[in-house]
Amino acid sequence: MNWNYRGFSFFFLLAVSLLTGFGLPHLRTDTTSFSLISQFDPDRDALEQVLKEFGADKRTRIYLRDDKLWTEAKLLLLRELHTELEGLDFVERVDDLFTHRLIRGKGGELETGEILPGIPQEKGELEKIRDKAVNDPLVAGSLLSRDGKWTALTLSLKEEKEGKGINNKRQTALEDLVTAHRKDFQEIFEIGPQRLDAEFHEALVKDCLLLGPAFALLVSLTVLLLLRCWASALVPLATAGLALLWTFGAMGWAGIPLTISGAMLPPFVICFAFISGVHVVFVCRQTKQRDRSPLGARSVMKLVGINFFTVIVMATGLSAYAATGIEFIKGFALAAIFAGLANGVALLMVLPHVLYFVESRKSGDCKAPSGKNEADAPGKLLKLTISSPASTVAIVLFFTAFSLYQGARLTASADPTSYFRASSPLLRQIKELKEAMSGTKTFRITLSSDKENAFLEPRNIERLTIIQKFLEKQGMFASSTSLADLLSLANREFLGGSQKHYLPPKKKELIAQYLLLFNRQELSDYASHDLRRATILVRHEIAGSELLNDYVKELKNVISNVAGVDMKASVTGENLMENAGATLLHRAWGRSLLLQGAVVLLMVSLMFTSPFGGVAALTLSVIPMITTLGLMGATQVPLNIGTAMVFIVTFGFILNGTLHLFSRYCDLCRTTPDYSLAVLKSLREETLPMGVTAIALIAGFFLLVFSNFSFVAQMGLFAAAGLVFSVLTLFWVAPLVLSRIRLVGLYEILQMSVKKGPLEKSSLFKGMTRYQIKKAILISELHEFEPGMLLVEQGSIGRSMFLILEGEAEVVLQRGGELEERRLAILEPGQVFGEIGYVMENKRSADVRAMTRVHALRFDYEQMKNDLKFFPFIVAKINFNMCRIMGERLAGAVDTLTNYEDRK
């Protein structure tokens, strides 16, 4: 493959790699929770304000359990832990059993004091303290479990000088401290944004450094083993490596962080590199084996063009995800789009070097494994499909309808904790807390007024109570705490401690007195300093994003009514806004499928100059995606960033295979009038590269089950399933579709060179544009004849007419045997013969023999009759011109006969 741009491509690869490589040191990761929140979310600014105002801008919690927690020894160890945590330079304060104050009524008066001002030695005294703490609604479920065996220490962390992001030193110090006290308690661990960020970061690094290379190695070895062609494994591996280098480097220069979704980027890019690269190399090598010559640059450009079109469709689908504004999704989508385009460029630049190296050593031919006859399988499948089309259509419709029914159950999830595997220690610990405490996830309901001291008014406190009662009625949230609870607790204790008095006071003066019992720090979680705003802290452990979003939507409607016109209401929380991303993801997924479908329908119709081609390609692309959707619905796996990418992978694979199949079918239709035979040959030639690519990628995607992220593992499993469905569609349904359509490639039309003169002046193409002439040539059959060969034999029966493209032929009339013949005419380029046989079945009246090497187009009657529905204007124009030709010849014959009679 001696292309003259091998030198240019080498320096281009080197320059781009060096340029992007210097951007790698600038690549940063962002695994913070804010990367999961859409930048377009109207509540984003409100969230930041609420977090700062109510002292919750940076918090984490340490939970511990011990059956003997309420003993002097364990409480002393707990105090020691408290002291050590306060000693950490990044901890602002620690809230726990040693800092929380209880309100007690005594003799018609109220007094406050810490739960544990000291640690009594008597067991009975400790049990009394425990019982009082458990009966305090502000303590139970929050600081202390109802059985008294679990407790929590809440750490308020100082603002980080370097801004938002993970601080490894902080997390390491915290983990070291927790580890040091693990021997003191039966169970102790931290749960909070700090730990979540750290675990996300660790899992991301492991996946990128270990799972990505393992995926590439497994896919490469599988291709090499099945094809025994190292070029087919090397080219896509090299292009994937370059695409990843360029992508990560460009992200570093552009300041785009690598979020946890970046764990999918290496397998995603490698997947598309092998989908495109294996096919291109295979066709190049097979062409050399078949024709004993390298594939021409134009043909390679056609193959690469198909791959670029696949990337464009993929990029169109990914653009819908980039528009969500969620950095977690947006960053991956932009990186994947760039990587796809980079892969196409890298393939174009790498291919000539590898193929030249292979050809120079006369090695690397792609071969099927011995002992198997792959060519028989497509033939049998095609025969089965075409012989019983009704059965095939019925089966496909049944599974499609069933899959749509199951897919209707699909839900979306954007809960960060669901991104960990079920076996994760974090999820196990959260499950334990769900049963013992009031939930690790929180959000806040805030009511705001323009009036100072608005929440000294009983009617405003009552609004808080109404909202909390509705939360209880919903029955989905673990607990809620507000300023109304603080006042209700004080009121209960003041009136003797009976639970029936657990109500907020009805008088403004009493509210003001009760508030004096609490210090500023205790009130800061529930009210602003000027009492213009009050907040309800809600705890929960709801895992399903759509379920949580539905209940929050219902809650917002109630809050809006309760707030009325004189107050502003908001429902904010990092967890809520993260889960709100599920709705955005679901919408982006729908838009992605619609955009891809529209692009395929439009562009394939243009590529193959027929709307039937666009509809056929879209039909074949939709079937495996619907089936995959049904499988996800049946197994109740939610739509998340990983499973959403399954549809991009599936669409890309089946579209790429469909385009290669269509392209080869276009070429073969020019050599035979039997479309079924053309389909069979196309399928036989495309079976091996598509099948091997599918097997290799399925093996690679199954490897992703070992990912540290559940969404990556789910992407692997369902992408493998999608590839299986794609292969079945291509080898089972595609033959049925292809055998009923006729396609002409736009690429062939554009690259065809039609000489001015003979063809444009040909009577058969009269009144047709150059484009229409090219298309007419491409829907006919092209035949080559050596000198002396017969194009038409006298006495034979045929329903075809011919048009000379190149060379000359003679029309010879045989009389009394082959030794007696008479030359009637010499045919030159542009001339037509055999039109009588085309119109009606009769014996040929003379031989047509090639005088030189002849290229001729054959127009078969049955084929043209079939093509009339696909290319009505072209076929009708040819038939009209052919009638004119016959009319002119008939008129000439009549004139000749008339002149002959006149001479007699």
Side-chain angles (χ1 to χ4, degrees):
M1 194 165 220
N2 298 308
W3 296 352
N4 57 12
Y5 70 85
R6 281 190 294 112
F8 165 77
S9 64
F10 174 79
F11 286 107
F12 176 86
L13 291 172
L14 181 62
V16 174
S17 299
L18 287 174
L19 178 64
T20 53
F22 285 117
L24 289 177
H26 303 287
L27 181 64
R28 62 184 179 88
T29 60
D30 182 5
T31 56
T32 61
S33 56
F34 264 77
S35 68
L36 308 177
I37 299 173
S38 173
Q39 65 188 45
F40 305 128
D41 195 317
D43 294 330
R44 188 178 179 116
D45 293 338
L47 172 65
E48 293 186 347
Q49 181 181 352
V50 167
L51 291 178
K52 289 179 180 180
E53 184 169 15
F54 294 103
D57 51 328
K58 203 69 175 175
R59 289 187 177 183
T60 190
R61 282 189 146 203
I62 294 177
Y63 294 91
L64 60 87
R65 178 185 67 84
D66 200 294
D67 293 341
K68 299 180 180 179
L69 179 62
W70 289 90
T71 61
E72 181 185 11
K74 294 297 179 182
L75 289 175
L76 286 173
L77 290 171
L78 182 61
R79 182 183 286 279
E80 180 183 336
L81 174 62
H82 173 97
T83 303
E84 291 178 2
L85 288 171
E86 283 186 323
L88 295 174
D89 58 3
F90 55 85
V91 174
E92 189 170 283
R93 74 172 193 269
V94 180
D95 295 316
D96 58 8
L97 294 174
F98 298 105
T99 60
H100 188 83
R101 298 191 309 153
L102 293 178
I103 298 177
R104 302 179 180 88
K106 189 175 182 181
E109 296 182 356
L110 291 175
E111 61 179 26
T112 62
E114 296 176 351
I115 298 175
L116 288 168
I119 302 177
Q121 297 181 358
E122 296 82 4
K123 182 178 179 181
E125 186 65 25
L126 286 173
E127 289 179 351
K128 289 180 181 180
I129 295 174
R130 181 196 62 194
D131 292 342
K132 287 182 180 179
V134 167
N135 288 324
D136 190 318
L138 302 182
V139 174
S142 177
L143 289 179
L144 189 66
S145 64
R146 299 192 183 281
D147 62 5
K149 296 179 180 179
W150 284 88
T151 189
L153 298 87
T154 302
L155 311 184
S156 297
L157 308 180
K158 296 177 182 177
E159 188 69 30
E160 298 179 52
K161 294 180 180 179
E162 55 271 22
K164 295 175 183 176
I166 182 172
N167 189 313
N168 290 322
K169 291 183 179 179
R170 285 187 172 193
Q171 189 59 24
T172 300
L174 207 52
E175 287 177 356
D176 290 344
L177 189 55
V178 169
T179 302
H181 282 272
R182 199 153 277 151
K183 65 181 185 302
D184 299 330
F185 306 97
Q186 291 176 331
E187 199 161 3
I188 180 172
F189 50 81
E190 176 212 357
I191 290 183
Q194 187 96 351
R195 179 185 175 186
L196 205 64
D197 294 351
E199 295 212 6
F200 275 150
H201 183 269
E202 182 181 1
L204 174 62
V205 172
K206 285 183 178 178
D207 268 22
C208 287
L209 295 182
L210 299 177
L211 206 58
F215 183 92
L217 181 62
L218 179 58
V219 174
S220 302
L221 290 177
T222 305
V223 170
L224 186 61
L225 178 65
L226 293 178
L227 286 182
R228 289 187 271 180
C229 170
W230 62 267
S232 290
L234 178 62
V235 168
L237 190 63
T239 56
L242 288 170
L244 285 171
L245 170 64
W246 297 352
T247 301
F248 286 135
M251 290 173 67
W253 284 122
I256 299 176
L258 189 66
T259 63
I260 59 174
S261 58
M264 298 186 298
L265 196 57
F268 193 83
V269 174
I270 294 166
C271 168
F272 275 94
F274 275 85
I275 287 175
S276 56
V278 171
H279 215 122
V280 171
V281 175
F282 180 85
V283 173
C284 291
R285 303 306 303 147
Q286 288 298 94
T287 301
K288 182 186 177 186
Q289 290 174 246
R290 183 171 59 246
D291 303 334
R292 301 300 175 188
S293 62
L295 194 65
R298 283 187 175 182
S299 299
V300 172
M301 289 298 293
K302 175 183 173 182
L303 294 171
V304 175
I306 289 176
N307 297 323
F308 262 111
F309 176 69
T310 305
V311 171
I312 289 172
V313 174
M314 175 204 74
T316 302
L318 288 168
S319 65
Y321 296 101
T324 60
I326 302 175
E327 193 63 45
F328 166 65
I329 300 174
K330 175 185 173 182
F332 171 80
L334 293 176
I337 292 172
F338 181 89
L341 297 173
N343 176 74
V345 173
L347 175 62
L348 192 60
M349 296 297 174
V350 167
L351 189 61
H353 296 283
V354 175
L355 294 182
Y356 178 80
F357 184 78
V358 172
E359 289 165 5
S360 65
R361 284 158 177 74
K362 299 181 180 180
S363 62
D365 291 341
C366 299
K367 300 176 183 178
S370 59
K372 296 182 180 180
N373 189 350
E374 288 77 11
D376 288 339
K380 293 177 182 179
L381 189 58
L382 179 63
K383 183 178 179 181
L384 176 65
T385 301
I386 296 180
S387 62
S388 55
S391 301
T392 301
V393 172
I395 293 172
V396 170
L397 288 177
F398 171 78
F399 277 104
T400 301
F402 180 75
S403 298
L404 286 173
Y405 170 75
Q406 293 292 338
R409 304 163 56 189
L410 185 70
T411 59
S413 175
D415 183 5
T417 57
S418 69
Y419 297 152
F420 290 104
R421 298 178 62 90
S423 58
S424 166
L426 177 64
L427 294 188
R428 178 186 60 80
Q429 292 162 0
I430 289 176
K431 184 178 179 181
E432 285 185 280
L433 289 176
K434 183 178 179 180
E435 300 172 356
M437 306 288 276
S438 295
T440 60
K441 303 170 185 177
T442 64
F443 65 88
R444 290 177 180 267
I445 302 167
T446 305
L447 296 181
S448 303
S449 173
D450 294 332
K451 297 180 180 179
E452 191 172 351
N453 294 323
F455 283 93
L456 285 178
E457 299 291 338
R459 64 187 181 91
N460 291 334
I461 300 296
E462 181 64 20
R463 288 173 171 175
L464 299 175
T465 304
I466 292 172
I467 294 172
Q468 288 182 268
K469 287 181 178 178
F470 181 76
L471 288 167
E472 292 180 13
K473 182 180 178 181
Q474 284 184 303
M476 292 300 297
F477 302 105
S479 68
S480 66
T481 310
S482 72
L483 185 62
D485 288 299
L486 272 65
L487 296 171
S488 297
L489 178 63
N491 195 53
R492 184 189 71 179
E493 294 300 315
F494 181 73
L495 297 176
S498 174
Q499 190 62 24
K500 67 179 181 180
H501 297 303
Y502 188 79
L503 298 168
K506 302 296 183 181
K507 295 182 179 180
K508 181 177 179 179
E509 294 77 10
L510 198 54
I511 291 174
Q513 291 180 20
Y514 285 162
L515 289 179
L516 294 175
L517 298 171
F518 304 94
N519 58 41
R520 179 61 253 166
Q521 182 174 306
E522 291 170 333
L523 288 175
S524 63
D525 278 347
Y526 307 107
S528 61
H529 67 282
D530 55 6
L531 293 179
R532 293 175 186 264
R533 287 171 293 282
T535 183
I536 303 172
L537 178 64
V538 183
R539 298 184 181 277
H540 71 95
E541 208 58 69
I542 301 175
S545 294
E546 290 193 352
L547 180 64
L548 176 61
N549 292 340
D550 288 343
Y551 277 96
V552 170
K553 183 179 179 180
E554 182 184 32
L555 178 61
K556 286 183 175 180
N557 291 332
V558 172
I559 293 172
S560 178
N561 293 330
V562 172
V565 295
D566 59 329
M567 278 199 171
K568 296 180 181 179
S570 65
V571 181
T572 57
E574 287 187 46
N575 179 256
L576 278 193
M577 296 175 70
E578 291 161 358
N579 280 275
T583 302
L584 296 175
L585 178 63
H586 213 156
R587 292 174 182 171
W589 172 72
R591 287 196 299 269
S592 174
L593 295 181
L594 290 175
L595 285 172
Q596 288 182 108
V599 171
V600 167
L601 183 62
L602 177 62
M603 296 301 293
V604 175
S605 297
L606 292 174
M607 285 177 66
F608 295 98
T609 64
S610 170
F612 295 99
V615 172
L618 183 60
T619 301
L620 294 175
S621 300
V622 165
I623 290 173
M625 289 198 294
I626 291 178
T627 313
T628 306
L629 174 67
L631 182 61
M632 288 174 57
T635 54
Q636 297 185 2
V637 172
L639 183 73
N640 52 44
I641 183 60
T643 52
M645 291 305 108
V646 168
F647 297 90
I648 300 287
V649 171
T650 303
F651 210 134
F653 177 83
I654 187 140
L655 177 62
N656 191 269
T658 298
L659 293 178
H660 282 292
L661 195 61
F662 282 12
S663 178
R664 189 58 185 149
Y665 174 68
C666 287
D667 296 337
L668 293 174
C669 279
R670 299 201 63 208
T671 63
T672 175
D674 187 347
Y675 293 167
S676 296
L677 181 60
V679 172
L680 175 58
K681 289 183 178 179
S682 302
L683 202 58
R684 281 178 171 169
E685 292 183 15
E686 300 298 330
T687 293
L688 194 56
M690 288 192 295
V692 167
T693 303
I695 292 171
L697 290 177
I698 288 170
F701 279 121
F702 271 122
L703 183 67
L704 297 186
V705 298
F706 298 104
S707 170
N708 293 283
F709 294 111
S710 63
F711 65 88
V712 176
Q714 290 167 353
M715 183 190 79
L717 288 174
F718 285 98
L723 292 179
V724 172
F725 296 142
S726 298
V727 170
L728 290 175
T729 301
L730 284 171
F731 296 151
W732 184 32
V733 183
L736 183 63
V737 175
L738 267 185
S739 62
R740 284 162 171 75
I741 62 176
R742 177 70 167 93
L743 303 174
V744 175
L746 180 63
Y747 179 82
E748 284 75 15
I749 294 175
L750 295 177
Q751 78 161 359
M752 179 182 287
S753 176
V754 175
K755 297 179 180 178
K756 292 184 178 181
L759 287 182
E760 289 188 338
K761 294 178 181 178
S762 173
S763 299
L764 190 63
F765 295 144
K766 189 172 183 179
M768 297 173 67
T769 64
R770 288 176 63 83
Y771 171 83
Q772 292 165 347
I773 292 173
K774 290 180 179 180
K775 194 164 185 179
I777 292 172
L778 290 170
I779 66 174
S780 63
E781 297 174 32
L782 178 64
H783 293 270
E784 296 182 10
F785 301 90
E786 297 297 329
M789 292 180 62
L790 289 177
L791 284 72
V792 168
E793 184 177 3
Q794 183 177 328
S796 64
I797 297 176
R799 296 296 304 273
S800 302
M801 65 177 174
F802 293 83
L803 180 142
I804 303 293
L805 284 180
E806 295 180 11
E808 293 182 342
E810 59 181 349
V811 181
V812 178
L813 178 64
Q814 302 289 342
R815 288 183 176 177
E818 294 183 2
L819 297 177
E820 298 181 24
E821 60 182 32
R822 176 186 172 190
R823 178 185 288 179
L824 301 179
I826 294 178
L827 301 174
E828 297 178 341
Q831 290 187 289
V832 177
F833 63 91
E835 67 278 2
I836 301 297
Y838 177 84
V839 174
M840 58 181 295
E841 190 172 359
N842 66 346
K843 292 183 179 181
R844 301 291 190 180
S845 59
D847 287 341
V848 178
R849 183 186 303 133
M851 298 174 62
T852 63
R853 186 182 180 89
V854 172
H855 290 183
L857 299 178
R858 176 177 178 266
F859 295 89
D860 181 78
Y861 173 78
E862 291 296 330
Q863 181 178 350
M864 296 294 283
K865 186 171 70 172
N866 292 332
D867 287 345
L868 182 61
K869 60 179 177 286
F870 302 121
F871 313 104
F873 181 84
I874 300 290
V875 175
K877 198 72 175 176
I878 290 175
N879 288 338
F880 180 80
N881 288 334
M882 185 266 299
C883 291
R884 177 188 290 133
I885 293 171
M886 292 184 64
E888 290 174 352
R889 291 186 180 178
L890 180 60
V894 171
D895 289 342
T896 301
L897 181 59
T898 301
N899 292 334
Y900 176 75
E901 292 293 336
D902 290 343
R903 286 196 299 272
K904 288 181 65 177

